[in-house]
Amino acid sequence: MTKLLLSVHVLAAILAIGPIAVAASLFPRFARDADHDHPPTDDRAPTDEQAPGDRRSPAIAAFLHRICRGYAVVGLAVPVFGLATGAQLGVLTDAWLLTSIALTAIAAALLILAVLPGQRRLLTSPDGTTIPTGDTRAAASRLAMITGIFNLLWAIVVVLMIVRPGSTTGA
């Protein structure tokens, strides 16, 4: 049973958290490019179909936001199966697991309270349109920083899950 729980936990982490990490990391770039007052942020020369910003960027940003929102719900399986696995292994009081649980809670809070609302704000301007306002670059940069912290927290959790410092269950 432990192997099944651990397998589901790891698969859920890879298939749910991975897409969130990638989509959330890509979102700020497309939100910036959706700002029609600025050229695309990469080295492409704008073509007639793209000038001055890539016209697909708003749709891509909206799609990336939907990925983050949808996979956030699926991502709830990660701590659920993680706690079940920890209970089965008898390691719920180990420091490495408690630290991982705390970091997971912080990452989830960042996603729910900062990343998803930040994406929503960038997708909708004050007048309700999907064309971003002038300070899109600053908001997108802040969101990129928060997303980087979110991803760093998950990277630390992965390392803790693999290394399990102080664990007596063997590595």
Side-chain angles (χ1 to χ4, degrees), residues 81-155:
F81 283 99
L83 288 171
T85 303
Q88 193 77 17
L89 289 171
V91 296
L92 286 178
T93 58
D94 286 8
W96 65 271
L97 186 60
L98 293 174
T99 303
S100 294
I101 290 169
L103 293 174
T104 298
I106 294 168
L110 269 178
L111 180 65
I112 293 166
L113 301 173
V115 174
L116 294 175
Q119 290 177 346
R120 201 171 312 113
R121 278 190 300 276
L122 282 169
L123 287 174
T124 307
S125 67
D127 63 357
T129 64
T130 55
I131 299 172
T133 61
D135 88 326
T136 299
R137 285 195 179 288
S141 293
R142 281 191 302 277
L143 183 60
M145 178 191 66
I146 292 167
T147 301
I149 294 168
F150 170 82
N151 290 336
L152 179 61
L153 289 170
W154 279 112

